[in-house]
Amino acid sequence: MNIADIKTDNRKRIYFYLREQGQATKQEIAYTLQLSLPTVTQNLTYLSELGLISCENKVVNRAGGRNPVAYSYIPDAKVAIGLDITRHHIKSIAIDLDGQIIKYVYRRKDYQRNDDYLKVLGNEVENIIAMAGLDRGKILGVGIAVPGILDQTGEYVYDGRVIDNHGMTRTEFSKYIDLKTKLIHDSAAAGFSEIVHSPDIHNACYVSLGSSIGGSVFINDKVYLGDGLFSCEFGHLNLIPDGLPCYCGQKGCFDPYCNAEVLSNLTNGDLFTFFDRLNNGDEKLRKIWDTYLENLATLITEIRMMFGSSIIIGGDIGPFIDKYIPQLQAKIDVKSPFSEKSARFLYPCRNKMEAIASGAALYFVQEFLDTALETTD
């Protein structure tokens, strides 16, 4: 590490210590982190000037004398907004620097490739700003998560057959959004939200079981895009040669066997109803669910053989999967060619509240912290 790296590391340690503790004096910080008092003071001054911490609170000095100043972490010093766009709805979310939800808005709206729909996106952003009472000066940006394969620059949708957004650009989606924007693959956004909230996992495959099946791979906490544009399209691995038709034009892909609509279509499009009836002993749904898990176990086994990393189950199915993880693990263990126990690597998603929208917003939070806490001198 050079001098700038060491300074950056010290600044990050101080900031994240305050983030974890909520409040501390400079003496406590220096002692706990084993840093010199001048180093701590200099960085606290910088973080205060940036508005990330405050030093207005006092702590009682039980030993007598002047009360030392306690510095406090400000979670909403900056905020970010995320949009999750699908076939039938728009989900908007505002989060703080902790990734905690400030406001969430759900709107039932069928996707349409026209200017009126783009106006709706702009209105949804303004709506959540107003409802949450956000200071526009604190907003880092708006992450727009969409189904579809993005080009390497992230500026346009290279393949958008799921909702007919093929060829649409970030600029088009942002036409009526008067803030900095970023276009993000929905599965990458959801996977990113898991990595950020899972400090113990650094290498993982995120499997998104939504209206279509997608995924993302993270290596050392960074998304791996691959050399081409089609990495992590787990839904298009082949399950049954010449099987059910897939929207990609092929037959037998995992997608028509394991997407969430395979289940929700049995209960008028409502997954909550499906799992409620399943949990209450519906025998017909139990057999369908068992077949679903069998196919999912095959998919997970293949992913494990390719990447050898942790695997996280998310998407629309993610919030319901915890109860059935042992059943799924048992099916995976039977399929393992190396007698490996899947309890070592298979996890249900931790972020069960709008992972796609919050993940899209978290990209701006991470970008801000990486930049704000970096030292170049």
Side-chain angles (χ1 to χ4, degrees), residues 244-296:
L244 293 175
C246 178
Y247 71 87
C248 72
Q250 302 299 317
K251 291 184 177 181
C253 297
F254 274 95
D255 194 286
Y257 292 92
C258 288
N259 71 61
E261 292 181 356
V262 169
L263 307 177
S264 64
N265 285 343
L266 299 171
T267 50
N268 296 318
D270 190 342
L271 271 178
F272 288 93
T273 300
F274 176 89
F275 282 99
D276 184 58
R277 285 174 50 185
L278 177 66
N279 294 335
N280 284 302
D282 188 308
E283 184 61 21
K284 178 183 176 182
L285 295 189
R286 186 198 66 77
K287 292 180 179 179
I288 291 171
W289 176 241
D290 188 72
T291 301
Y292 182 94
L293 287 181
E294 192 70 36
N295 292 331
L296 182 57

Side-chain angles (χ1 to χ4, degrees), residues 115-158:
D115 199 63
D116 287 341
Y117 185 85
L118 299 179
K119 287 180 181 178
V120 170
L121 293 183
N123 289 337
E124 288 302 296
V125 172
E126 293 303 318
N127 184 38
I128 198 168
I129 290 173
M131 293 179 68
L134 301 180
D135 179 348
R136 295 186 79 91
K138 291 183 177 182
I139 301 174
L140 298 171
V142 180
I144 305 172
V146 298
I149 299 168
L150 305 185
D151 77 310
Q152 293 285 12
T153 67
E155 285 295 309
Y156 76 96
V157 181
Y158 177 85

